[in-house]
């Protein structure tokens, strides 16, 4: 009787433990949904919806699939200015990559077209084959660098044009980088690209992949 | 006495002559230097709109604002033509950006012609041209596209004329980037 009772207790514990594991499983699943640099590989390609004349309001002509690094090289000279300070270009290269990486994980379907980004300022201005030596170098120099919150979550680094020739103080600490501001901080204050990024995205940190 | 005066006049004449013509010669040389420095190197990259492969042997004709042919050349095996062209300032961008504007006409075997208007002329400028393949039994006519003007150049152009007219900017409550111009003038 006593031995039988022990067996029942053992069985009950086993069932309970299996049941409790089953209850815990969804919690682990939710935690795994955060897409971070620790569980998500850098994309090899990206789908770009092409709108005529880079017009953000125009209908989609076609979707072009292109290598992810080539995409970044064909965005940087159109978002930043190739003749700008190299540190500003490298800050831009990191922002462009993180922005695009996020949207490869969050694609859009519009009028039957499925794409990650388009070629306009709805996302980032992309012109196929427009890479320049200076901007290509900036993309290459920062290719193993990411800029994320502490948990490594892949989030878009937002940016705007800002005011030409000024420090663009309104953007500092806002989690939105000013393109003109990055040029100012790079060329006038001689800041490095991690320092420029830190000015605009203070809660993010630089990591290597 | 008269001889002494003559000497002074002659010396003054020679001094002024040397000063004027010497300076002019120097200035002329400087002008030539500036003219040479105003030439810029640009790159045209031509690819197919069907498979995005580079097109070798495509011909690009650059036409300047007065309608004459500026230069012409063909792409290499990488689909690239490097052009050396004079930078003639476009008056619309004067005082805003050192920028010239030309029209490019691209033709290639197996492809429709393309006219690229407003191609910016600037050092190290890259102008991609994507050509459409010829389609049998269809109308194969030239198409018009716009040159790769940088976003900043466009913004500067708009600001130049908006400022000239004394316009004021709009306000966007949810955005702290530079807002678009308003049709209203500053009061």
């Amino acid at each position: 009787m006593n031995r039988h009772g022990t067996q029942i207790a053992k069985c009950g514990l086993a069932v309970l433990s299996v049941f409790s594991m089953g209850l815990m499983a969804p919690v682990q699943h939710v935690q795994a949904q955060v897409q971070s640099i620790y569980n998500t590989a850098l994309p090899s390609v990206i789908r770009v919806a092409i709108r005529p004349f880079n017009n953000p309001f125009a209908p989609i002509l076609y979707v072009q699939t292109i290598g992810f690094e080539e995409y970044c090289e064909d965005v940087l000279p159109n978002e930043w200015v190739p003749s700008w300070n190299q540190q500003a270009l490298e800050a831009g290269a990191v922002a462009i990559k993180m922005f695009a990486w996020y949207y490869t994980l969050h694609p859009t379907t519009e009028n039957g077209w499925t794409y990650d980004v388009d070629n306009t300022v709805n996302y980032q201005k992309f012109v196929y084959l427009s890479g320049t030596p200076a901007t290509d170098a900036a993309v290459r120099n920062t290719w193993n660098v990411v800029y994320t919150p502490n948990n490594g979550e892949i989030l878009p680094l937002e940016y705007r044009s800002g005011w030409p020739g000024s420090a663009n103080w309104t953007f500092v600490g806002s989690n939105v980088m000013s393109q003109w501001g990055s040029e100012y901080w790079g060329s006038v204050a001689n800041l490095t690209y991690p320092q420029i990024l830190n000015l605009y995205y203070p809660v993010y940190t630089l990591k290597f992949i | 006495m008269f001889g002494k005066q003559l000497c002074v006049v002659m010396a003054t004449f020679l001094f002024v002559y040397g000063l004027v013509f010497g300076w002019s010669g120097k200035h002329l040389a400087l002008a030539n230097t500036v003219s040479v420095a105003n030439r810029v190197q640009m790159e045209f990259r031509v690819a197919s709109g069907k498979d995005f492969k580079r097109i070798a042997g495509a011909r690009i004709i650059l036409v300047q604002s007065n309608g004459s042919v500026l230069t012409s050349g063909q792409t290499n095996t990488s689909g690239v033509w490097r052009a050396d062209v004079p930078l003639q300032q476009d008056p619309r961008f004067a005082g805003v950006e050192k920028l010239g504007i030309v029209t490019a006409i691209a033709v290639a075997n197996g492809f429709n012609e393309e006219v690229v208007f407003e191609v910016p002329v600037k050092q190290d400028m890259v102008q991609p041209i994507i050509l459409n393949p010829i389609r049998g039994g269809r109308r194969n006519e030239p198409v018009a596209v716009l040159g790769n003007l940088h976003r900043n150049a466009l913004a500067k152009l708009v600001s130049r004329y908006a400022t000239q007219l004394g316009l004021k900017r709009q306000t966007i409550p949810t955005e702290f980037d530079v807002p678009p111009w308003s049709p209203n003038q500053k009061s």
Side-chain angles (χ1 to χ4, degrees), chain B residues 73-152:
Chain B
Q74 285 183 277
T75 55
N76 61 19
T77 51
S78 304
V80 172
W81 175 51
R82 287 186 185 85
D84 181 85
V85 293
L87 196 163
Q88 293 158 343
Q89 180 67 45
D90 184 293
R92 294 169 297 179
F93 289 92
V96 173
E97 191 158 345
K98 200 176 173 186
L99 189 78
I101 296 285
V102 293
T103 302
I105 299 171
V107 292
N109 289 331
F111 294 88
N112 288 298
E113 310 102 320
E114 196 159 298
V115 183
V116 190
F117 289 100
E118 307 290 332
V119 175
V121 175
K122 200 175 177 180
Q123 182 61 38
D124 298 327
M125 182 65 209
V126 174
Q127 177 62 59
I129 300 178
I130 310 298
L131 295 180
N132 300 309
I134 288 172
R135 295 178 298 172
R138 304 287 286 271
R139 293 173 67 174
N140 290 285
E141 296 182 0
V143 292
V145 295
L146 278 176
N148 191 20
L149 267 172
H150 199 280
R151 298 164 30 259
N152 286 359

Side-chain angles (χ1 to χ4, degrees), chain A residues 53 62 64 77-81 84 125 127-131 160-163 170-171 174 179-180, chain B residues 45-47 52 54 124 126 128 130 144-146 148-152 156 169 175-179:
Chain A
F53 304 112
Y62 55 90
Q64 183 178 357
N78 302 294
E79 286 292 353
W80 267 251
V81 178
W84 277 2
K125 187 181 175 186
V127 179
Y128 184 53
L129 298 181
S130 64
R160 295 287 187 275
S161 174
W163 299 89
T170 48
F171 289 84
S174 69
Q179 294 169 323
W180 277 106
Chain B
R45 299 175 185 168
V46 183
F52 301 106
R54 308 282 186 115
D124 298 327
V126 174
I130 310 298
V145 295
L146 278 176
N148 191 20
L149 267 172
H150 199 280
R151 298 164 30 259
N152 286 359
K156 285 176 185 174
R169 288 192 182 270
E175 178 70 50
F176 54 84
D177 194 10
V178 181

